């Protein structure tokens, strides 16, 4: 209660057909009490070609067009259309920020060995999100929900694990459409690992 928490971390996306996101950032959290906290989070994601989906060309395709067969798409093939960079992104994500309300319903201790115990808590989170996606860094809004675990090394340092589901709409022109209405809704699973530092580093334990 009444403590600040600084939480650097690294996340990586799962189930990505086209873009593998690797994010680096931190969260700044204020704990109102043992149960509730408010967290401001920012992550910058590197979108790398995932190498999962393939482009397949039918028999009779000319050599100039790659010939028949299948190959992994290149970055240019995923971000350009008719020689122009388009927001045909299929999940390309750069900046991700969110304001999350956290609720910690469960605290406990794990018995490790002899008389050594590891304290932990489980928290749920939800809140709005602001994102930039696509090669043109198009802004959009969404939300995220998730669950996290803190494992306390001592009174001010923890190892932190999270799993978030980030939900947002991609808005932009498709190759066959000039509409500026949302073209798809994305559900992006983002597991994260990091650590937390509490300030002040000491606290008065409630009885």
């Amino acid at each position: 209660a009444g403590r600040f928490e600084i939480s650097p971390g690294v996340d990586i996306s799962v189930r990505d057909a086209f873009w593998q996101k690797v994010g680096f950032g931190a969260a700044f959290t204020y704990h109102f009490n043992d149960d509730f906290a408010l967290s401001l989070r920012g992550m910058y994601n590197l979108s790398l070609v995932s190498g999962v989906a393939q482009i397949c060309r039918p028999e009779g395709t000319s050599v100039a067009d790659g010939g028949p067969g299948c190959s992994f798409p290149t970055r240019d093939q995923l971000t350009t259309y008719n020689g122009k960079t388009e927001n045909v992104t299929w999940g390309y994500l750069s900046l991700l920020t969110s304001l999350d309300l956290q609720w910690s319903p469960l605290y406990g201790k794990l018995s490790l060995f002899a008389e050594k115990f590891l304290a932990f808590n489980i928290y749920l989170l939800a809140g709005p999100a602001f994102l930039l996606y696509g090669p043109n860094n198009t802004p959009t809004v969404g939300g995220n929900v998730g669950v996290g675990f803190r494992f306390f090394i001592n009174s001010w340092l923890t190892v932190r694990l999270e799993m978030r589901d980030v939900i947002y709409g991609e808005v932009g022109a498709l190759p066959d459409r000039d509409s500026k209405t949302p073209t798809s809704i994305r559900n992006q699973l983002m597991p994260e690992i990091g650590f937390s530092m509490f300030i002040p580093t000491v606290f008065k334990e409630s009885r």
Side-chain angles (χ1 to χ4, degrees):
R3 302 177 84 191
F4 293 94
E5 180 185 5
I6 301 173
S7 309
V10 177
D11 65 20
I12 185 168
S13 61
V14 297
R15 299 181 62 188
D16 268 352
F18 297 100
W19 298 106
Q20 180 73 64
K21 273 83 74 179
V22 180
F24 305 89
F28 185 76
T29 306
Y30 178 73
H31 293 263
F32 300 106
N33 50 44
D34 285 347
D35 298 324
F36 292 97
L38 189 65
S39 179
L40 178 63
R41 177 174 178 265
M43 302 292 289
Y44 184 81
N45 293 274
L46 302 176
S47 289
L48 311 174
V49 178
S50 67
V52 175
Q54 297 188 57
I55 296 175
C56 294
R57 297 168 295 275
E59 293 290 338
T61 304
S62 66
V63 175
D65 292 330
C70 296
S71 62
F72 295 110
T74 65
R75 192 178 188 87
D76 286 343
Q77 287 175 315
L78 292 176
T79 57
T80 59
Y81 178 74
N82 285 343
K84 297 191 302 180
T85 299
E86 298 283 358
N87 280 329
V88 187
T89 59
W90 298 291
Y92 185 116
L93 186 64
S94 53
L95 180 66
L96 169 59
T97 63
S98 64
L99 183 65
D100 303 314
L101 181 64
Q102 294 184 6
W103 174 47
S104 301
L106 181 62
Y107 290 80
K109 290 184 179 181
L110 297 174
S111 178
L112 300 179
F113 52 88
E115 296 181 356
K116 298 295 184 181
F117 295 89
L118 180 64
F120 71 94
N121 80 334
I122 300 175
Y123 59 93
L124 305 177
L125 62 90
F130 174 80
L131 309 93
L132 297 179
Y133 73 93
N136 295 330
N137 287 323
T138 302
T140 189
V141 294
N144 64 165
V145 295
V147 59
F149 300 83
R150 292 186 187 90
F151 298 94
F152 290 83
I153 307 303
N154 53 37
S155 63
W156 63 272
L157 183 65
T158 77
V159 174
R160 185 174 52 84
L161 303 175
E162 280 186 7
M163 173 64 81
R164 293 171 179 261
D165 183 10
V166 183
I167 306 167
Y168 65 98
E170 289 190 351
V171 183
L174 292 174
D176 59 350
R177 186 187 305 173
D178 290 327
S179 172
K180 296 300 181 181
T181 58
T183 58
S184 61
I185 299 296
R186 298 288 179 190
N187 278 80
Q188 185 64 72
L189 295 177
M190 305 285 283
E192 180 178 335
I193 184 170
F195 64 94
S196 294
M197 299 171 287
F198 284 88
I199 301 173
T201 58
V202 295
F203 70 101
K204 184 177 181 180
E205 186 173 357
S206 60
R207 298 294 182 180

